[in-house]
Amino acid sequence: MSMFRLDQVLMSTAIAAMIVFAAVSKSEESLNLISLILIWGLFAIGFDLIFGMAGMLSFGHAAMFGAGGYALALLAPQLGFVPSLLVAAVAGAVLAFLLSVFALRVSGLFFSLLTLALAQLVYILASTKLRAFTGGLDGIPGVLRPALFGVDFFNNRNYFYFLVVVFVIGVAIMAVLRVSPFGSALKAVQANDVRAEQIGYHVQRLRQCAFMISGASGALLASLMFYVSPQMLHWSTSGDVLIMTLLGGKGTLLGPVLGVAVFEVLKEELSQFTEHWYGILGIVFILCTIFLPKGIAGLFAAFGRIGKGASK
């Protein structure tokens, strides 16, 4: 079984398990946790498009993540939720394009540092200069949820099912992109960008497209929490999605979602015992980096190869 096929089977199983769990569980905390996993999972899959597929390490993806949240918070009262959600995705893509115009002038470590600097600039603007629109450090409370078909989406269970639908659509789009000629071109750029350009690929344009596609789920988090603040734009948000992706396994469809699940569950459990939970999580991350260099998804791939070898 190919890695992509294994990703599809495991992802479908995970989605089905989450739906069944939500249907039988009466715990609001568990429902909220799974909703967070779905939202951050979409963000991590998008991030992995440039990190795992195109080989670009960005520390600035929090800027696009937060931009979607602010766009929804500001526009939903005027346009309604669904149109605002689409506009929020476009807002994230437009901001990604603007940042990429500068960031893609350099490569390697310089690219990573420049994305960090640009994202922090956006954070400072939202916190201070644009506080008349963003609420400054206080943020914007009362972010709306959908109003569709007479369903009460302020009910967390109903909103969870809405998130499942959006998650499935997002995963399907990313799965198609990964196996499309565009995905193959990104892999070629990652392997050798000079040779890719020599055979006719427009490397900068490919990287720019990947950058634009990769961060449009912040609106969903703002709607889940009924709140958006500059924290969504902070560099630590970019660091979290990087850790999640590496934990799960970069370059795979399933890996980032697994990493999100591990990160959020550990965060939820550890934070109940100590305020230093981030340090413990850091130790877990270091151990996984040493002993699972391909992430948790690498284990599934290894077991798949073992099973295939045993069947011969």
Side-chain angles (χ1 to χ4, degrees):
M1 182 182 293
S2 67
M3 188 61 193
F4 179 73
R5 177 63 177 168
L6 182 62
D7 274 353
Q8 286 182 308
V9 172
L10 292 175
M11 184 71 78
S12 300
T13 303
I15 292 171
M18 285 189 288
I19 293 174
V20 170
F21 178 83
V24 301
S25 175
K26 297 181 180 179
S27 170
E28 287 290 322
E29 291 80 6
S30 298
L31 198 62
N32 185 68
L33 177 61
I34 299 176
S35 297
L36 282 172
I37 290 172
L38 291 174
I39 294 169
W40 278 93
L42 275 179
F43 182 36
I45 291 172
F47 173 76
D48 190 59
L49 186 67
I50 70 160
F51 180 45
M53 295 284 289
M56 298 185 294
L57 175 55
S58 166
F59 288 124
H61 260 57
M64 288 83 82
F65 191 59
Y70 276 108
L72 180 71
L74 293 170
L75 296 175
Q78 285 76 38
L79 302 180
F81 184 88
V82 174
S84 299
L85 186 63
L86 298 176
V87 173
V90 174
V94 169
L95 181 60
F97 172 77
L98 295 175
L99 297 183
S100 70
V101 169
F102 300 98
L104 289 175
R105 293 177 180 272
V106 293
S107 60
L109 178 61
F110 299 104
F111 169 82
S112 301
L113 293 176
L114 188 53
T115 56
L116 173 61
L118 291 170
Q120 283 302 99
L121 176 61
V122 175
Y123 169 79
I124 293 169
L125 288 173
S127 303
T128 57
K129 300 297 183 182
L130 299 177
R131 60 180 176 271
F133 301 99
T134 65
L137 293 174
D138 294 328
I140 303 175
V143 180
L144 298 181
R145 285 189 179 179
L148 300 170
F149 312 116
V151 178
D152 178 19
F153 286 105
F154 285 91
N155 178 295
N156 289 334
R157 192 172 303 278
N158 292 338
Y159 188 64
F160 165 78
Y161 290 122
F162 172 79
L163 290 177
V164 169
V165 173
V166 176
F167 181 80
V168 170
I169 293 172
V171 168
I173 292 172
M174 296 305 297
V176 170
L177 284 175
R178 284 171 177 269
V179 297
S180 69
F182 175 73
S184 300
L186 286 181
K187 292 177 182 178
V189 170
Q190 179 186 22
N192 192 318
D193 56 347
V194 175
R195 188 167 295 176
E197 192 158 18
Q198 288 175 343
I199 63 176
Y201 289 123
H202 197 301
V203 172
Q204 290 297 85
R205 190 172 297 165
L206 285 168
R207 286 173 170 166
Q208 203 163 43
C209 288
F211 209 72
M212 291 172 65
I213 292 169
S214 63
S217 56
L220 296 172
L221 181 61
S223 185
L224 175 68
M225 307 301 293
F226 301 109
Y227 176 70
V228 60
S229 76
Q231 182 60 37
M232 288 181 65
L233 300 163
H234 197 259
W235 66 266
S236 58
T237 301
S238 298
D240 284 347
V241 76
L242 172 61
I243 292 173
M244 292 168 177
T245 304
L246 288 173
L247 276 176
K250 67 172 186 174
T252 65
L253 186 64
L254 178 68
V257 180
L258 287 174
V260 169
V262 171
F263 185 97
E264 289 295 335
V265 170
L266 286 176
K267 174 183 174 181
E268 183 72 20
E269 296 300 321
L270 293 174
S271 62
Q272 296 179 17
F273 298 101
T274 174
E275 61 181 9
H276 304 296
W277 63 269
Y278 223 130
I280 299 174
L281 191 61
I283 295 173
V284 172
F285 175 60
I286 292 171
L287 293 174
C288 287
T289 303
I290 295 172
F291 298 106
L292 295 173
K294 294 185 179 181
I296 301 170
L299 285 177
F300 290 105
F303 287 137
R305 287 193 295 269
I306 292 172
K308 184 177 180 180
S311 63
K312 289 183 178 180

